């Protein structure tokens, strides 16, 4: 048997084992309370049990168990969609799930289930405080208008570029808004490296790292230092083109486990910054109204 034939024979088996490991890792990170289940006093399994995933996905327990055991069974796109929703997968994770299963995603633009209408309403009510929802990979999953104009015009960027790491190293408008830029991006890279330790084999993380290394010599130089840090200074300084300097305190509100999505908000630390945030909010609203009028 040739090497090509051997690789062809082994590929389905490799995919099944990758799929099994991926499902297991996603299941173990979700707490029962996140999906409306009662934890109970005898729970030993980290995260959800297999039968709970099966219940949430409306599939048989035995069938789901076989999936996690990498058995050679067929899985439909509809079932994969149900699993993606039950396991609260974001866009990148959902895409990876369908790729491992060798299936075509019937709804590739499906929003992250963490961004519920309630979360969007919370973001709006936090204005004029700039606020967004990020995952541990620094993807910006949702944001309010003030955050959308704090460092650059996020609405003008394609969704795949709405990532804090990517913007901090490649977007000049975003970079120029960062006070103490060199220290800020160094700390971001160090925090990204620390977070990535739990996701080394995941395609979305590897893809982002590859993009950064290809696009930014500055990132490559910082990355090679192998610095790791978990937390940084909560007070941030931004230089906004519309209203000037803003001194803001950074706060995280976790929407799930510490490796999952978090609501990030910036609260002014002085009266001048508070006033300028209100001016930024008013400016963002005026710009949005002007765009609506132009479309009409």
């Amino acid at each position: 048997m040739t090497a090509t034939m051997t690789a062809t024979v082994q590929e389905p088996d490799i995919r099944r084992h990758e799929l099994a490991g991926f499902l297991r890792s996603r299941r173990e990170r979700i707490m029962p309370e996140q999906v409306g289940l009662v934890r109970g006093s005898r729970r030993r399994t980290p995260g959800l049990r297999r039968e709970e995933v099966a219940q949430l996905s409306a599939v048989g327990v035995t069938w789901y168990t076989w999936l996690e055991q990498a058995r050679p069974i067929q899985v439909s796109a509809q079932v994969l969609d149900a699993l993606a929703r039950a396991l609260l997968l974001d866009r990148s994770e959902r895409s990876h799930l369908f790729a491992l299963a060798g299936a075509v995603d019937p709804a590739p633009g499906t929003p992250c289930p963490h961004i519920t209408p309630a979360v969007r309403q919370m973001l709006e009510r936090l204005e004029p405080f700039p606020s967004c929802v990020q995952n541990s990979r620094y993807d910006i999953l949702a944001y309010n208008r003030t955050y959308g104009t704090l460092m650059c015009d996020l609405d003008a960027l394609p969704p795949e570029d709405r990532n804090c790491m990517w913007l901090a190293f490649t977007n000049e408008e975003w970079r120029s808004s960062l006070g103490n830029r060199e220290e800020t991006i160094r700390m971001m890279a160090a925090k990204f490296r620390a977070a990535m330790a739990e996701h080394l084999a995941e395609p979305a993380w590897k893809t982002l790292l590859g993009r950064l290394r290809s696009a930014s010599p500055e990132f490559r130089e910082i990355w090679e230092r192998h610095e790791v840090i978990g937390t940084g200074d909560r007070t941030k300084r931004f230089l906004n083109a519309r209203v000037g300097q803003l001194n803001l305190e950074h706060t995280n509100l976790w929407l799930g486990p510490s490796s999952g999505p978090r609501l990030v908000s910036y609260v002014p630390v002085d009266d001048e910054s508070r006033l300028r945030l209100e001016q930024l909010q008013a400016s963002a609203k005026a710009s949005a109204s002007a765009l609506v009028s132009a479309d009409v």
Side-chain angles (χ1 to χ4, degrees), residues 17-57:
H17 281 85
E18 286 289 326
L19 176 61
F22 181 67
L23 288 171
R24 186 164 53 252
S25 70
R26 301 304 91 176
R27 169 173 62 83
E28 291 176 350
R29 73 174 184 175
I30 299 175
M31 297 299 104
E33 297 85 353
Q34 290 179 257
V35 291
L37 299 177
V38 179
R39 174 179 291 274
S41 59
R42 298 183 178 180
R43 181 175 296 271
R44 297 179 181 177
T45 305
L48 297 177
R49 300 185 178 102
R50 286 175 175 171
E51 55 267 30
E52 290 171 332
V53 175
Q55 174 190 338
L56 291 167
S57 307

Side-chain angles (χ1 to χ4, degrees), residues 213-227:
R213 292 175 70 105
S214 298
S216 173
E218 184 178 29
F219 174 82
R220 290 197 299 272
E221 190 276 325
I222 293 174
W223 190 251
E224 291 306 317
R225 299 178 192 175
H226 289 265
E227 294 178 326

Side-chain angles (χ1 to χ4, degrees), residues 250-265:
H250 171 274
T251 302
N252 285 329
L253 174 63
W254 299 101
L255 302 179
S258 60
S259 60
R262 61 188 182 275
L263 190 151
V264 180
S265 62

Side-chain angles (χ1 to χ4, degrees), residues 22-247:
F22 181 67
L23 288 171
R24 186 164 53 252
S25 70
R26 301 304 91 176
R27 169 173 62 83
E28 291 176 350
R29 73 174 184 175
I30 299 175
M31 297 299 104
E33 297 85 353
Q34 290 179 257
V35 291
L37 299 177
V38 179
R39 174 179 291 274
S41 59
R42 298 183 178 180
R43 181 175 296 271
R44 297 179 181 177
T45 305
L48 297 177
R49 300 185 178 102
R50 286 175 175 171
E51 55 267 30
E52 290 171 332
V53 175
Q55 174 190 338
L56 291 167
S57 307
V59 300
V61 176
T62 300
W63 186 90
Y64 179 76
T65 300
W66 286 351
L67 260 185
E68 282 203 10
Q69 292 175 344
R71 297 200 186 187
I73 58 176
Q74 295 296 318
V75 54
S76 69
Q78 289 73 25
V79 168
L80 290 171
D81 176 69
L83 288 173
R85 294 175 187 277
L87 295 172
L88 305 180
L89 303 187
D90 64 25
R91 283 191 182 94
S92 297
E93 292 167 335
R94 179 186 175 96
S95 176
H96 185 52
L97 173 69
F98 277 83
L100 289 177
V104 176
D105 188 349
T110 301
C112 174
H114 287 286
I115 312 302
T116 63
V119 170
R120 292 193 182 279
Q121 186 174 6
M122 187 184 302
L123 288 171
E124 293 176 5
R125 299 291 287 182
L126 283 170
E127 288 193 297
F129 299 163
S131 305
C132 70
V133 176
Q134 298 176 14
N135 59 19
S136 58
R137 199 169 48 248
Y138 290 97
D139 294 329
I140 303 168
L141 306 176
Y143 53 90
N144 60 21
R145 273 183 299 208
T146 317
Y147 186 89
T149 56
L150 177 64
M151 289 168 278
C152 73
D153 184 0
L154 281 177
D155 288 345
L157 301 176
E160 60 270 21
D161 287 349
R162 294 174 193 163
N163 175 279
C164 294
M165 285 291 297
W166 176 255
L167 294 170
F169 282 96
T170 67
N171 183 287
E172 286 306 318
E173 188 178 0
W174 185 285
R175 287 162 61 82
S176 65
S177 74
L178 299 174
N180 303 319
R181 184 179 61 82
E182 292 185 3
E183 180 64 18
T184 298
I185 61 175
R186 174 178 154 267
M187 290 184 63
M188 286 185 68
K191 291 170 71 174
F192 180 72
R193 180 181 283 278
M196 191 171 179
E198 299 180 10
H199 307 275
L200 292 174
E202 295 182 25
W205 287 76
K206 293 192 291 186
T207 298
L208 176 57
L209 179 59
R211 288 185 73 197
L212 286 165
R213 292 175 70 105
S214 298
S216 173
E218 184 178 29
F219 174 82
R220 290 197 299 272
E221 190 276 325
I222 293 174
W223 190 251
E224 291 306 317
R225 299 178 192 175
H226 289 265
E227 294 178 326
V228 176
I229 188 170
T231 58
D233 187 359
R234 289 187 175 276
T235 301
K236 311 291 183 181
R237 182 166 61 90
F238 298 97
L239 304 173
N240 184 269
R242 301 188 187 190
V243 299
Q245 181 172 320
L246 295 160
N247 302 311

